[in-house]
Amino acid sequence: KAGVTQTPRYLIKTRGQQVTLSCSPISGHRSVSWYQQTPGQGLQFLFEYFSETQRNKGNFPGRFSGRQFSNSRSEMNVSTLELGDSALYLCASNQGPGANVLTFGAGSRLTVL
Amino acid sequence: AQSVTQLGSHVSVSEGALVLLRCNYSSSVPPYLFWYVQYPNQGLQLLLKYTSAATLVKGINGFEAEFKKSETSFHLTKPSAHMSDAAEYFCAVSDQNAGNMLTFGGGTRLMVKP
């Protein structure tokens, strides 16, 4: 079965712009989590959605937001981009809370110039 | 708050040698522990997980890890390294009430010399 699909895989933006990243979970998975990966800060949890509700949120500014649709697909948005937002954004899915094993997508690599 | 420390950001071994990647965690409640591997330009792939069953956990590709509560460690080992094992390895922890919120270590890049 298809894995976790993230689009776009690569994108370049300039400071001040906004970006929307998309994640399609594995069929049947209802929980989607987002992580940011940078060389300096490593892997950091952004947020988790289950049944269209945000369950947990990491320590990121309000410029980072997300949502989940009824088909479990998720989007995250970053507004007013800063150079430090350049990162690999990883999406992961599983059946729901308590399933405890995440399947990750290949990521969306964002470069902010 | 949970934290994960991976000793050694880079580890180099010869092909056929033992692989030992170290992970120590701190958690106020019994944790779930994971090892993930990341190949270049790819996402994370689960190697193995500890969820309070057997303390010695076997994973894919010949890797295993032992949960030692007294040492708060979850080191990853493989008896014989293969060139294809060259990648970055991440240890992660979550507590049983944290849903899918994982706390990751800084990662260890494994290099395998021919």
PDB file of all heavy atoms in Angstrom, chain A residues 9 31 33 35 37 43 45 48 55-56 88 90 94 100-102 104-106, chain B residues 32 34 36 38 41-44 46 49 51 88 90 98-102 104:
ATOM      1  N   ARG A   9       8.064  18.192  -2.759  1.00  0.00           N
ATOM      2  CA  ARG A   9       9.283  17.649  -2.165  1.00  0.00           C
ATOM      3  C   ARG A   9      10.327  18.738  -1.930  1.00  0.00           C
ATOM      4  O   ARG A   9      11.074  18.678  -0.954  1.00  0.00           O
ATOM      5  CB  ARG A   9       9.878  16.572  -3.059  1.00  0.00           C
ATOM      6  CG  ARG A   9       9.113  15.256  -3.085  1.00  0.00           C
ATOM      7  CD  ARG A   9       9.187  14.509  -1.756  1.00  0.00           C
ATOM      8  NE  ARG A   9      10.520  14.444  -1.181  1.00  0.00           N
ATOM      9  CZ  ARG A   9      11.455  13.576  -1.516  1.00  0.00           C
ATOM     10  NH1 ARG A   9      11.209  12.677  -2.436  1.00  0.00           N
ATOM     11  NH2 ARG A   9      12.635  13.596  -0.917  1.00  0.00           N
ATOM     12  N   SER A  31      -4.173   9.583  12.214  1.00  0.00           N
ATOM     13  CA  SER A  31      -3.346  10.529  12.962  1.00  0.00           C
ATOM     14  C   SER A  31      -2.181  10.983  12.095  1.00  0.00           C
ATOM     15  O   SER A  31      -1.509  10.165  11.459  1.00  0.00           O
ATOM     16  CB  SER A  31      -2.812   9.867  14.239  1.00  0.00           C
ATOM     17  OG  SER A  31      -1.986  10.763  14.938  1.00  0.00           O
ATOM     18  N   SER A  33       1.257  13.600  12.206  1.00  0.00           N
ATOM     19  CA  SER A  33       2.151  14.442  12.999  1.00  0.00           C
ATOM     20  C   SER A  33       3.140  15.121  12.067  1.00  0.00           C
ATOM     21  O   SER A  33       3.492  14.568  11.019  1.00  0.00           O
ATOM     22  CB  SER A  33       2.927  13.603  14.019  1.00  0.00           C
ATOM     23  OG  SER A  33       2.051  12.866  14.841  1.00  0.00           O
ATOM     24  N   TYR A  35       6.979  17.197  11.898  1.00  0.00           N
ATOM     25  CA  TYR A  35       8.249  17.457  12.553  1.00  0.00           C
ATOM     26  C   TYR A  35       9.097  18.355  11.645  1.00  0.00           C
ATOM     27  O   TYR A  35       9.031  18.268  10.421  1.00  0.00           O
ATOM     28  CB  TYR A  35       9.012  16.149  12.807  1.00  0.00           C
ATOM     29  CG  TYR A  35       8.411  15.306  13.898  1.00  0.00           C
ATOM     30  CD1 TYR A  35       7.311  14.489  13.658  1.00  0.00           C
ATOM     31  CD2 TYR A  35       8.929  15.338  15.187  1.00  0.00           C
ATOM     32  CE1 TYR A  35       6.750  13.734  14.667  1.00  0.00           C
ATOM     33  CE2 TYR A  35       8.377  14.588  16.201  1.00  0.00           C
ATOM     34  CZ  TYR A  35       7.286  13.786  15.936  1.00  0.00           C
ATOM     35  OH  TYR A  35       6.734  13.038  16.941  1.00  0.00           O
ATOM     36  N   GLN A  37      13.059  19.347  10.766  1.00  0.00           N
ATOM     37  CA  GLN A  37      14.433  18.870  10.913  1.00  0.00           C
ATOM     38  C   GLN A  37      15.403  19.908  10.354  1.00  0.00           C
ATOM     39  O   GLN A  37      15.354  20.253   9.179  1.00  0.00           O
ATOM     40  CB  GLN A  37      14.636  17.538  10.194  1.00  0.00           C
ATOM     41  CG  GLN A  37      16.022  16.936  10.413  1.00  0.00           C
ATOM     42  CD  GLN A  37      16.200  15.572   9.771  1.00  0.00           C
ATOM     43  OE1 GLN A  37      15.493  15.202   8.826  1.00  0.00           O
ATOM     44  NE2 GLN A  37      17.129  14.792  10.280  1.00  0.00           N
ATOM     45  N   LEU A  43      15.614  17.253  15.080  1.00  0.00           N
ATOM     46  CA  LEU A  43      14.215  16.930  14.823  1.00  0.00           C
ATOM     47  C   LEU A  43      13.356  17.454  15.961  1.00  0.00           C
ATOM     48  O   LEU A  43      13.565  17.097  17.117  1.00  0.00           O
ATOM     49  CB  LEU A  43      14.040  15.415  14.723  1.00  0.00           C
ATOM     50  CG  LEU A  43      14.424  14.779  13.400  1.00  0.00           C
ATOM     51  CD1 LEU A  43      14.833  13.331  13.597  1.00  0.00           C
ATOM     52  CD2 LEU A  43      13.255  14.882  12.427  1.00  0.00           C
ATOM     53  N   PHE A  45       9.262  18.329  17.226  1.00  0.00           N
ATOM     54  CA  PHE A  45       7.838  18.103  17.026  1.00  0.00           C
ATOM     55  C   PHE A  45       7.124  19.435  16.807  1.00  0.00           C
ATOM     56  O   PHE A  45       7.311  20.394  17.562  1.00  0.00           O
ATOM     57  CB  PHE A  45       7.284  17.397  18.268  1.00  0.00           C
ATOM     58  CG  PHE A  45       5.790  17.267  18.296  1.00  0.00           C
ATOM     59  CD1 PHE A  45       5.146  16.291  17.558  1.00  0.00           C
ATOM     60  CD2 PHE A  45       5.028  18.111  19.086  1.00  0.00           C
ATOM     61  CE1 PHE A  45       3.771  16.159  17.598  1.00  0.00           C
ATOM     62  CE2 PHE A  45       3.651  17.990  19.141  1.00  0.00           C
ATOM     63  CZ  PHE A  45       3.021  17.014  18.390  1.00  0.00           C
ATOM     64  N   GLU A  48       0.357  17.538  16.135  1.00  0.00           N
ATOM     65  CA  GLU A  48      -0.263  16.249  15.852  1.00  0.00           C
ATOM     66  C   GLU A  48      -1.756  16.466  15.691  1.00  0.00           C
ATOM     67  O   GLU A  48      -2.382  17.188  16.480  1.00  0.00           O
ATOM     68  CB  GLU A  48      -0.013  15.271  17.004  1.00  0.00           C
ATOM     69  CG  GLU A  48      -0.743  13.943  16.862  1.00  0.00           C
ATOM     70  CD  GLU A  48      -0.724  13.130  18.149  1.00  0.00           C
ATOM     71  OE1 GLU A  48      -0.108  13.571  19.135  1.00  0.00           O
ATOM     72  OE2 GLU A  48      -1.338  12.049  18.160  1.00  0.00           O
ATOM     73  N   ARG A  55      -4.119  17.564  18.672  1.00  0.00           N
ATOM     74  CA  ARG A  55      -3.987  16.911  19.979  1.00  0.00           C
ATOM     75  C   ARG A  55      -2.806  17.453  20.765  1.00  0.00           C
ATOM     76  O   ARG A  55      -2.856  17.532  21.990  1.00  0.00           O
ATOM     77  CB  ARG A  55      -3.812  15.405  19.804  1.00  0.00           C
ATOM     78  CG  ARG A  55      -5.018  14.687  19.281  1.00  0.00           C
ATOM     79  CD  ARG A  55      -4.861  13.185  19.484  1.00  0.00           C
ATOM     80  NE  ARG A  55      -4.994  12.790  20.876  1.00  0.00           N
ATOM     81  CZ  ARG A  55      -4.036  12.238  21.595  1.00  0.00           C
ATOM     82  NH1 ARG A  55      -2.822  12.056  21.081  1.00  0.00           N
ATOM     83  NH2 ARG A  55      -4.232  11.879  22.856  1.00  0.00           N
ATOM     84  N   ASN A  56      -1.739  17.719  20.086  1.00  0.00           N
ATOM     85  CA  ASN A  56      -0.534  18.223  20.736  1.00  0.00           C
ATOM     86  C   ASN A  56       0.109  19.275  19.851  1.00  0.00           C
ATOM     87  O   ASN A  56      -0.026  19.230  18.621  1.00  0.00           O
ATOM     88  CB  ASN A  56       0.479  17.099  20.966  1.00  0.00           C
ATOM     89  CG  ASN A  56       0.075  16.162  22.081  1.00  0.00           C
ATOM     90  OD1 ASN A  56      -0.091  16.558  23.213  1.00  0.00           O
ATOM     91  ND2 ASN A  56      -0.097  14.892  21.746  1.00  0.00           N
ATOM     92  N   LEU A  88      13.876  20.627   6.605  1.00  0.00           N
ATOM     93  CA  LEU A  88      13.124  19.505   6.056  1.00  0.00           C
ATOM     94  C   LEU A  88      11.917  19.307   6.966  1.00  0.00           C
ATOM     95  O   LEU A  88      12.064  19.133   8.180  1.00  0.00           O
ATOM     96  CB  LEU A  88      13.989  18.241   6.033  1.00  0.00           C
ATOM     97  CG  LEU A  88      13.329  16.979   5.477  1.00  0.00           C
ATOM     98  CD1 LEU A  88      13.044  17.133   3.986  1.00  0.00           C
ATOM     99  CD2 LEU A  88      14.217  15.762   5.727  1.00  0.00           C
ATOM    100  N   LEU A  90       8.916  17.011   7.972  1.00  0.00           N
ATOM    101  CA  LEU A  90       8.528  15.604   7.877  1.00  0.00           C
ATOM    102  C   LEU A  90       7.132  15.404   8.429  1.00  0.00           C
ATOM    103  O   LEU A  90       6.782  15.922   9.486  1.00  0.00           O
ATOM    104  CB  LEU A  90       9.510  14.738   8.652  1.00  0.00           C
ATOM    105  CG  LEU A  90      10.926  14.644   8.080  1.00  0.00           C
ATOM    106  CD1 LEU A  90      11.882  14.060   9.107  1.00  0.00           C
ATOM    107  CD2 LEU A  90      10.943  13.797   6.821  1.00  0.00           C
ATOM    108  N   ASN A  94      -0.077   7.391  11.714  1.00  0.00           N
ATOM    109  CA  ASN A  94      -0.393   6.069  12.250  1.00  0.00           C
ATOM    110  C   ASN A  94      -1.894   6.000  12.494  1.00  0.00           C
ATOM    111  O   ASN A  94      -2.637   6.931  12.179  1.00  0.00           O
ATOM    112  CB  ASN A  94       0.426   5.708  13.498  1.00  0.00           C
ATOM    113  CG  ASN A  94       0.155   6.606  14.682  1.00  0.00           C
ATOM    114  OD1 ASN A  94      -0.838   7.335  14.722  1.00  0.00           O
ATOM    115  ND2 ASN A  94       1.042   6.549  15.666  1.00  0.00           N
ATOM    116  N   ASN A 100       1.534   4.235  18.625  1.00  0.00           N
ATOM    117  CA  ASN A 100       2.923   4.531  19.004  1.00  0.00           C
ATOM    118  C   ASN A 100       3.998   4.298  17.964  1.00  0.00           C
ATOM    119  O   ASN A 100       5.142   4.636  18.203  1.00  0.00           O
ATOM    120  CB  ASN A 100       3.304   3.849  20.345  1.00  0.00           C
ATOM    121  CG  ASN A 100       3.420   2.338  20.258  1.00  0.00           C
ATOM    122  OD1 ASN A 100       4.141   1.806  19.439  1.00  0.00           O
ATOM    123  ND2 ASN A 100       2.712   1.655  21.115  1.00  0.00           N
ATOM    124  N   VAL A 101       3.726   3.773  16.808  1.00  0.00           N
ATOM    125  CA  VAL A 101       4.745   3.663  15.769  1.00  0.00           C
ATOM    126  C   VAL A 101       4.347   4.566  14.617  1.00  0.00           C
ATOM    127  O   VAL A 101       3.258   4.428  14.062  1.00  0.00           O
ATOM    128  CB  VAL A 101       4.903   2.222  15.267  1.00  0.00           C
ATOM    129  CG1 VAL A 101       5.870   2.189  14.091  1.00  0.00           C
ATOM    130  CG2 VAL A 101       5.409   1.328  16.387  1.00  0.00           C
ATOM    131  N   LEU A 102       5.219   5.487  14.271  1.00  0.00           N
ATOM    132  CA  LEU A 102       4.956   6.424  13.196  1.00  0.00           C
ATOM    133  C   LEU A 102       5.619   5.967  11.901  1.00  0.00           C
ATOM    134  O   LEU A 102       6.750   5.479  11.916  1.00  0.00           O
ATOM    135  CB  LEU A 102       5.509   7.807  13.567  1.00  0.00           C
ATOM    136  CG  LEU A 102       4.822   8.530  14.717  1.00  0.00           C
ATOM    137  CD1 LEU A 102       5.594   9.780  15.095  1.00  0.00           C
ATOM    138  CD2 LEU A 102       3.395   8.888  14.321  1.00  0.00           C
ATOM    139  N   PHE A 104       6.954   7.616   8.487  1.00  0.00           N
ATOM    140  CA  PHE A 104       7.306   8.946   7.999  1.00  0.00           C
ATOM    141  C   PHE A 104       7.287   9.015   6.476  1.00  0.00           C
ATOM    142  O   PHE A 104       7.606   8.033   5.788  1.00  0.00           O
ATOM    143  CB  PHE A 104       8.713   9.336   8.479  1.00  0.00           C
ATOM    144  CG  PHE A 104       8.770   9.773   9.909  1.00  0.00           C
ATOM    145  CD1 PHE A 104       8.829   8.845  10.933  1.00  0.00           C
ATOM    146  CD2 PHE A 104       8.760  11.121  10.237  1.00  0.00           C
ATOM    147  CE1 PHE A 104       8.879   9.241  12.264  1.00  0.00           C
ATOM    148  CE2 PHE A 104       8.813  11.529  11.555  1.00  0.00           C
ATOM    149  CZ  PHE A 104       8.868  10.597  12.572  1.00  0.00           C
ATOM    150  N   GLY A 105       6.948  10.206   5.984  1.00  0.00           N
ATOM    151  CA  GLY A 105       7.115  10.489   4.569  1.00  0.00           C
ATOM    152  C   GLY A 105       8.542  10.926   4.293  1.00  0.00           C
ATOM    153  O   GLY A 105       9.369  11.031   5.202  1.00  0.00           O
ATOM    154  N   ALA A 106       8.815  11.206   3.007  1.00  0.00           N
ATOM    155  CA  ALA A 106      10.176  11.584   2.605  1.00  0.00           C
ATOM    156  C   ALA A 106      10.487  13.037   2.907  1.00  0.00           C
ATOM    157  O   ALA A 106      11.652  13.439   2.862  1.00  0.00           O
ATOM    158  CB  ALA A 106      10.360  11.313   1.115  1.00  0.00           C
TER     159      ALA A 106
ATOM    160  N   TYR B  32       8.265   4.909  26.006  1.00  0.00           N
ATOM    161  CA  TYR B  32       8.417   4.132  24.800  1.00  0.00           C
ATOM    162  C   TYR B  32       9.708   4.638  24.144  1.00  0.00           C
ATOM    163  O   TYR B  32       9.965   5.840  24.132  1.00  0.00           O
ATOM    164  CB  TYR B  32       7.255   4.354  23.834  1.00  0.00           C
ATOM    165  CG  TYR B  32       5.928   3.801  24.277  1.00  0.00           C
ATOM    166  CD1 TYR B  32       4.731   4.371  23.843  1.00  0.00           C
ATOM    167  CD2 TYR B  32       5.849   2.689  25.107  1.00  0.00           C
ATOM    168  CE1 TYR B  32       3.505   3.867  24.238  1.00  0.00           C
ATOM    169  CE2 TYR B  32       4.623   2.176  25.508  1.00  0.00           C
ATOM    170  CZ  TYR B  32       3.458   2.766  25.066  1.00  0.00           C
ATOM    171  OH  TYR B  32       2.238   2.266  25.447  1.00  0.00           O
ATOM    172  N   PHE B  34      12.489   4.311  20.742  1.00  0.00           N
ATOM    173  CA  PHE B  34      12.543   3.959  19.328  1.00  0.00           C
ATOM    174  C   PHE B  34      13.937   4.261  18.773  1.00  0.00           C
ATOM    175  O   PHE B  34      14.625   5.162  19.243  1.00  0.00           O
ATOM    176  CB  PHE B  34      11.533   4.790  18.518  1.00  0.00           C
ATOM    177  CG  PHE B  34      10.135   4.760  19.039  1.00  0.00           C
ATOM    178  CD1 PHE B  34       9.737   5.628  20.038  1.00  0.00           C
ATOM    179  CD2 PHE B  34       9.212   3.875  18.522  1.00  0.00           C
ATOM    180  CE1 PHE B  34       8.438   5.616  20.532  1.00  0.00           C
ATOM    181  CE2 PHE B  34       7.910   3.851  19.011  1.00  0.00           C
ATOM    182  CZ  PHE B  34       7.528   4.721  20.016  1.00  0.00           C
ATOM    183  N   TYR B  36      15.264   5.076  14.848  1.00  0.00           N
ATOM    184  CA  TYR B  36      14.935   5.310  13.446  1.00  0.00           C
ATOM    185  C   TYR B  36      16.229   5.495  12.669  1.00  0.00           C
ATOM    186  O   TYR B  36      17.232   5.959  13.194  1.00  0.00           O
ATOM    187  CB  TYR B  36      14.090   6.571  13.294  1.00  0.00           C
ATOM    188  CG  TYR B  36      12.634   6.421  13.660  1.00  0.00           C
ATOM    189  CD1 TYR B  36      12.194   6.629  14.964  1.00  0.00           C
ATOM    190  CD2 TYR B  36      11.680   6.077  12.692  1.00  0.00           C
ATOM    191  CE1 TYR B  36      10.850   6.506  15.295  1.00  0.00           C
ATOM    192  CE2 TYR B  36      10.337   5.955  13.011  1.00  0.00           C
ATOM    193  CZ  TYR B  36       9.933   6.167  14.315  1.00  0.00           C
ATOM    194  OH  TYR B  36       8.598   6.044  14.632  1.00  0.00           O
ATOM    195  N   GLN B  38      17.768   7.173   8.936  1.00  0.00           N
ATOM    196  CA  GLN B  38      17.478   8.092   7.832  1.00  0.00           C
ATOM    197  C   GLN B  38      18.586   8.015   6.791  1.00  0.00           C
ATOM    198  O   GLN B  38      19.749   8.288   7.101  1.00  0.00           O
ATOM    199  CB  GLN B  38      17.337   9.530   8.350  1.00  0.00           C
ATOM    200  CG  GLN B  38      16.901  10.517   7.278  1.00  0.00           C
ATOM    201  CD  GLN B  38      16.680  11.914   7.844  1.00  0.00           C
ATOM    202  OE1 GLN B  38      17.393  12.366   8.745  1.00  0.00           O
ATOM    203  NE2 GLN B  38      15.685  12.623   7.329  1.00  0.00           N
ATOM    204  N   ASN B  41      18.269  12.152   1.747  1.00  0.00           N
ATOM    205  CA  ASN B  41      17.088  12.596   0.996  1.00  0.00           C
ATOM    206  C   ASN B  41      15.862  11.712   1.213  1.00  0.00           C
ATOM    207  O   ASN B  41      15.000  11.613   0.335  1.00  0.00           O
ATOM    208  CB  ASN B  41      17.403  12.686  -0.498  1.00  0.00           C
ATOM    209  CG  ASN B  41      18.488  13.693  -0.791  1.00  0.00           C
ATOM    210  OD1 ASN B  41      18.483  14.793  -0.247  1.00  0.00           O
ATOM    211  ND2 ASN B  41      19.440  13.316  -1.614  1.00  0.00           N
ATOM    212  N   GLN B  42      15.818  11.083   2.363  1.00  0.00           N
ATOM    213  CA  GLN B  42      14.650  10.255   2.678  1.00  0.00           C
ATOM    214  C   GLN B  42      14.116  10.612   4.058  1.00  0.00           C
ATOM    215  O   GLN B  42      14.760  11.327   4.837  1.00  0.00           O
ATOM    216  CB  GLN B  42      15.022   8.772   2.626  1.00  0.00           C
ATOM    217  CG  GLN B  42      15.370   8.273   1.238  1.00  0.00           C
ATOM    218  CD  GLN B  42      15.572   6.776   1.200  1.00  0.00           C
ATOM    219  OE1 GLN B  42      14.989   6.038   1.998  1.00  0.00           O
ATOM    220  NE2 GLN B  42      16.389   6.310   0.268  1.00  0.00           N
ATOM    221  N   GLY B  43      12.929  10.088   4.361  1.00  0.00           N
ATOM    222  CA  GLY B  43      12.370  10.262   5.692  1.00  0.00           C
ATOM    223  C   GLY B  43      12.972   9.269   6.660  1.00  0.00           C
ATOM    224  O   GLY B  43      14.005   8.658   6.401  1.00  0.00           O
ATOM    225  N   LEU B  44      12.333   9.109   7.787  1.00  0.00           N
ATOM    226  CA  LEU B  44      12.813   8.214   8.832  1.00  0.00           C
ATOM    227  C   LEU B  44      12.149   6.849   8.695  1.00  0.00           C
ATOM    228  O   LEU B  44      10.946   6.763   8.450  1.00  0.00           O
ATOM    229  CB  LEU B  44      12.487   8.797  10.211  1.00  0.00           C
ATOM    230  CG  LEU B  44      13.037  10.179  10.515  1.00  0.00           C
ATOM    231  CD1 LEU B  44      12.504  10.677  11.846  1.00  0.00           C
ATOM    232  CD2 LEU B  44      14.547  10.146  10.535  1.00  0.00           C
ATOM    233  N   LEU B  46      11.577   3.205  10.752  1.00  0.00           N
ATOM    234  CA  LEU B  46      11.670   2.576  12.070  1.00  0.00           C
ATOM    235  C   LEU B  46      12.556   1.341  12.009  1.00  0.00           C
ATOM    236  O   LEU B  46      12.356   0.454  11.187  1.00  0.00           O
ATOM    237  CB  LEU B  46      10.278   2.181  12.559  1.00  0.00           C
ATOM    238  CG  LEU B  46      10.230   1.506  13.935  1.00  0.00           C
ATOM    239  CD1 LEU B  46      10.548   2.526  15.037  1.00  0.00           C
ATOM    240  CD2 LEU B  46       8.869   0.869  14.178  1.00  0.00           C
ATOM    241  N   LYS B  49      11.507  -0.829  18.294  1.00  0.00           N
ATOM    242  CA  LYS B  49      10.831  -0.064  19.336  1.00  0.00           C
ATOM    243  C   LYS B  49      10.788  -0.876  20.630  1.00  0.00           C
ATOM    244  O   LYS B  49      10.751  -2.115  20.606  1.00  0.00           O
ATOM    245  CB  LYS B  49       9.397   0.265  18.920  1.00  0.00           C
ATOM    246  CG  LYS B  49       8.528  -0.978  18.743  1.00  0.00           C
ATOM    247  CD  LYS B  49       7.092  -0.630  18.381  1.00  0.00           C
ATOM    248  CE  LYS B  49       6.268  -1.918  18.256  1.00  0.00           C
ATOM    249  NZ  LYS B  49       4.856  -1.664  17.922  1.00  0.00           N
ATOM    250  N   THR B  51       8.399  -1.059  24.026  1.00  0.00           N
ATOM    251  CA  THR B  51       7.147  -0.564  24.603  1.00  0.00           C
ATOM    252  C   THR B  51       6.784  -1.353  25.852  1.00  0.00           C
ATOM    253  O   THR B  51       5.629  -1.713  26.052  1.00  0.00           O
ATOM    254  CB  THR B  51       6.007  -0.649  23.571  1.00  0.00           C
ATOM    255  OG1 THR B  51       5.910  -2.006  23.104  1.00  0.00           O
ATOM    256  CG2 THR B  51       6.243   0.269  22.403  1.00  0.00           C
ATOM    257  N   GLU B  88      22.154   7.976   8.946  1.00  0.00           N
ATOM    258  CA  GLU B  88      22.037   8.665  10.232  1.00  0.00           C
ATOM    259  C   GLU B  88      20.984   7.955  11.068  1.00  0.00           C
ATOM    260  O   GLU B  88      19.921   7.587  10.561  1.00  0.00           O
ATOM    261  CB  GLU B  88      21.677  10.131  10.049  1.00  0.00           C
ATOM    262  CG  GLU B  88      21.749  10.931  11.347  1.00  0.00           C
ATOM    263  CD  GLU B  88      22.132  12.382  11.139  1.00  0.00           C
ATOM    264  OE1 GLU B  88      21.920  12.898  10.039  1.00  0.00           O
ATOM    265  OE2 GLU B  88      22.632  12.999  12.118  1.00  0.00           O
ATOM    266  N   PHE B  90      18.670   7.840  14.645  1.00  0.00           N
ATOM    267  CA  PHE B  90      18.057   8.673  15.660  1.00  0.00           C
ATOM    268  C   PHE B  90      17.372   7.813  16.717  1.00  0.00           C
ATOM    269  O   PHE B  90      16.598   6.919  16.391  1.00  0.00           O
ATOM    270  CB  PHE B  90      17.003   9.603  15.043  1.00  0.00           C
ATOM    271  CG  PHE B  90      17.569  10.642  14.122  1.00  0.00           C
ATOM    272  CD1 PHE B  90      17.671  10.393  12.750  1.00  0.00           C
ATOM    273  CD2 PHE B  90      18.012  11.856  14.617  1.00  0.00           C
ATOM    274  CE1 PHE B  90      18.195  11.343  11.897  1.00  0.00           C
ATOM    275  CE2 PHE B  90      18.535  12.818  13.774  1.00  0.00           C
ATOM    276  CZ  PHE B  90      18.634  12.560  12.411  1.00  0.00           C
ATOM    277  N   ALA B  98       1.705  10.688  25.661  1.00  0.00           N
ATOM    278  CA  ALA B  98       2.084  11.806  24.803  1.00  0.00           C
ATOM    279  C   ALA B  98       1.625  11.641  23.370  1.00  0.00           C
ATOM    280  O   ALA B  98       2.023  12.426  22.512  1.00  0.00           O
ATOM    281  CB  ALA B  98       3.599  11.996  24.835  1.00  0.00           C
ATOM    282  N   GLY B  99       0.819  10.644  23.104  1.00  0.00           N
ATOM    283  CA  GLY B  99       0.370  10.469  21.740  1.00  0.00           C
ATOM    284  C   GLY B  99       1.535  10.206  20.828  1.00  0.00           C
ATOM    285  O   GLY B  99       2.383   9.364  21.106  1.00  0.00           O
ATOM    286  N   ASN B 100       1.595  10.949  19.758  1.00  0.00           N
ATOM    287  CA  ASN B 100       2.650  10.771  18.778  1.00  0.00           C
ATOM    288  C   ASN B 100       3.732  11.830  18.882  1.00  0.00           C
ATOM    289  O   ASN B 100       4.420  12.116  17.912  1.00  0.00           O
ATOM    290  CB  ASN B 100       2.032  10.765  17.379  1.00  0.00           C
ATOM    291  CG  ASN B 100       1.191   9.528  17.155  1.00  0.00           C
ATOM    292  OD1 ASN B 100       1.538   8.448  17.604  1.00  0.00           O
ATOM    293  ND2 ASN B 100       0.080   9.696  16.461  1.00  0.00           N
ATOM    294  N   MET B 101       3.885  12.416  20.043  1.00  0.00           N
ATOM    295  CA  MET B 101       4.888  13.457  20.242  1.00  0.00           C
ATOM    296  C   MET B 101       6.187  12.797  20.681  1.00  0.00           C
ATOM    297  O   MET B 101       6.349  12.409  21.837  1.00  0.00           O
ATOM    298  CB  MET B 101       4.406  14.452  21.289  1.00  0.00           C
ATOM    299  CG  MET B 101       5.282  15.679  21.414  1.00  0.00           C
ATOM    300  SD  MET B 101       4.484  16.998  22.363  1.00  0.00           S
ATOM    301  CE  MET B 101       4.220  16.205  23.924  1.00  0.00           C
ATOM    302  N   LEU B 102       7.101  12.646  19.737  1.00  0.00           N
ATOM    303  CA  LEU B 102       8.393  12.045  20.020  1.00  0.00           C
ATOM    304  C   LEU B 102       9.425  13.124  20.313  1.00  0.00           C
ATOM    305  O   LEU B 102       9.412  14.189  19.698  1.00  0.00           O
ATOM    306  CB  LEU B 102       8.889  11.229  18.821  1.00  0.00           C
ATOM    307  CG  LEU B 102       8.050  10.045  18.369  1.00  0.00           C
ATOM    308  CD1 LEU B 102       8.699   9.379  17.157  1.00  0.00           C
ATOM    309  CD2 LEU B 102       7.898   9.036  19.484  1.00  0.00           C
ATOM    310  N   PHE B 104      13.412  13.511  20.010  1.00  0.00           N
ATOM    311  CA  PHE B 104      14.525  12.849  19.333  1.00  0.00           C
ATOM    312  C   PHE B 104      15.866  13.274  19.913  1.00  0.00           C
ATOM    313  O   PHE B 104      16.039  14.413  20.386  1.00  0.00           O
ATOM    314  CB  PHE B 104      14.529  13.200  17.844  1.00  0.00           C
ATOM    315  CG  PHE B 104      13.489  12.485  17.034  1.00  0.00           C
ATOM    316  CD1 PHE B 104      12.233  13.025  16.866  1.00  0.00           C
ATOM    317  CD2 PHE B 104      13.780  11.265  16.443  1.00  0.00           C
ATOM    318  CE1 PHE B 104      11.267  12.371  16.113  1.00  0.00           C
ATOM    319  CE2 PHE B 104      12.830  10.600  15.677  1.00  0.00           C
ATOM    320  CZ  PHE B 104      11.558  11.157  15.517  1.00  0.00           C
TER     321      PHE B 104
END
